[in-house]
Amino acid sequence: ATDKLIKLLYLQDKKVLPLSLKEDPISLYKLHHSPVTWKLYKTIEEQDTVFSCAFIPDGTGIVLGTNSNMTIWNVEAGEVLKTLVEDDIKENMVVAIGPNGNHLVCGGFDVNDKSLHVWDMKAYRRVNSLEHPFVSSIAISPDEKRFVSSSVNSIKLWDIYTGECKKTLEVEDMQVTAISSDCKYIVSGSGTGHLKVWDMDTGECLKTLEHKE
């Protein structure tokens, strides 16, 4: 079978590192199918501390969120294609790219500043800055019309074009979010082991699931 690059992993001594890679390069691995194994494909040397990453949908590039900017890398060449930087954007802790590759949304841990930013990936320019402190997770809808951001005690649903907040869902200890492929549901997960399924249009919590180890 043809090898396919499908995942970006942070590895050091064969362990996953979820955040800072200040001392180590980014490692790209390829999945080999016969037998099923991961093999080192390429490393990328980023000078700043890397907090987050996202693949460009066509697989040709990745975006790295650092403590000072965002860099877009060509996967094959291992070279920086573009650097996205604004003086008021600090610590890009979370980065998400829309399925069509038209929008990028990044968020940070700033308390007082507008720490949620929407970028036009065709023009490489910021088109909106929104208020949602302590952003821990971002998910863009498959139709790329809306996105959700999660914080410590809330999930916000946004119009990606206007920046209007459509819904605010009150939660506790929120860490991760996802949007279903039919754009009907939001799934959220917390550090307490609870998963919630939300109706994306009404904001109603439809189900609560508890994960037990």
Side-chain angles (χ1 to χ4, degrees):
T2 302
D3 295 337
K4 185 179 182 182
L5 187 66
I6 64 169
K7 187 71 174 177
L8 178 73
L9 300 179
Y10 298 157
L11 294 179
Q12 181 185 38
D13 297 330
K14 299 181 181 179
K15 295 181 180 179
V16 175
L17 297 180
L19 290 177
S20 175
L21 294 172
K22 188 172 183 179
E23 306 297 333
D24 301 283
I26 301 289
S27 297
L28 289 170
Y29 282 73
K30 267 188 176 181
L31 178 63
H32 292 250
H33 298 281
S34 300
V36 177
T37 55
W38 286 96
K39 293 184 180 180
L40 181 64
Y41 168 64
K42 193 182 292 290
T43 58
I44 292 176
E45 298 282 352
E46 172 60 67
Q47 299 301 312
D48 291 328
T49 302
V50 176
F51 294 111
S52 56
C53 62
F55 264 106
I56 291 174
D58 63 8
T60 61
I62 54 173
V63 178
L64 302 181
T66 77
N67 58 343
S68 62
N69 57 40
M70 287 179 293
T71 51
I72 303 174
W73 291 75
N74 179 283
V75 171
E76 291 293 334
E79 298 176 347
V80 176
L81 298 176
K82 192 78 175 178
T83 299
L84 307 180
V85 60
E86 295 283 355
D87 292 338
D88 61 330
I89 296 181
K90 306 170 185 177
E91 297 187 349
N92 298 283
M93 305 294 289
V94 187
V95 174
I97 299 177
N100 300 322
N102 296 324
H103 295 90
L104 178 147
V105 182
C106 65
F109 286 172
D110 293 338
V111 180
N112 299 316
D113 299 331
K114 290 185 176 181
S115 58
L116 194 60
H117 308 280
V118 181
W119 291 76
D120 181 332
M121 287 294 283
K122 302 303 180 184
Y124 294 119
R125 66 183 181 90
R126 180 171 52 166
V127 294
N128 228 327
S129 292
L130 311 167
E131 292 185 12
H132 198 191
F134 290 108
V135 174
S136 60
S137 175
I138 298 169
I140 301 176
S141 63
D143 59 9
E144 219 163 304
K145 294 180 179 179
R146 295 174 290 181
F147 72 94
V148 292
S149 60
S150 65
S151 185
V152 177
N153 56 9
S154 66
I155 297 171
K156 289 184 179 291
L157 174 64
W158 306 87
D159 185 301
I160 204 166
Y161 292 99
T162 67
E164 179 186 358
C165 181
K166 296 291 189 179
K167 290 280 188 308
T168 298
L169 311 176
E170 300 300 328
V171 293
E172 294 181 2
D173 191 24
M174 189 46 51
Q175 294 187 3
V176 295
T177 50
I179 297 176
S180 64
S181 58
D182 57 6
C183 300
K184 291 183 178 180
Y185 307 104
I186 298 170
V187 178
S188 63
S190 71
T192 60
H194 291 86
L195 294 172
K196 291 182 180 291
V197 181
W198 307 80
D199 185 297
M200 195 163 173
D201 291 324
T202 66
E204 179 187 358
C205 181
L206 302 174
K207 186 169 292 189
T208 299
L209 307 173
E210 184 177 359
H211 173 71
K212 296 181 179 180
E213 294 187 4

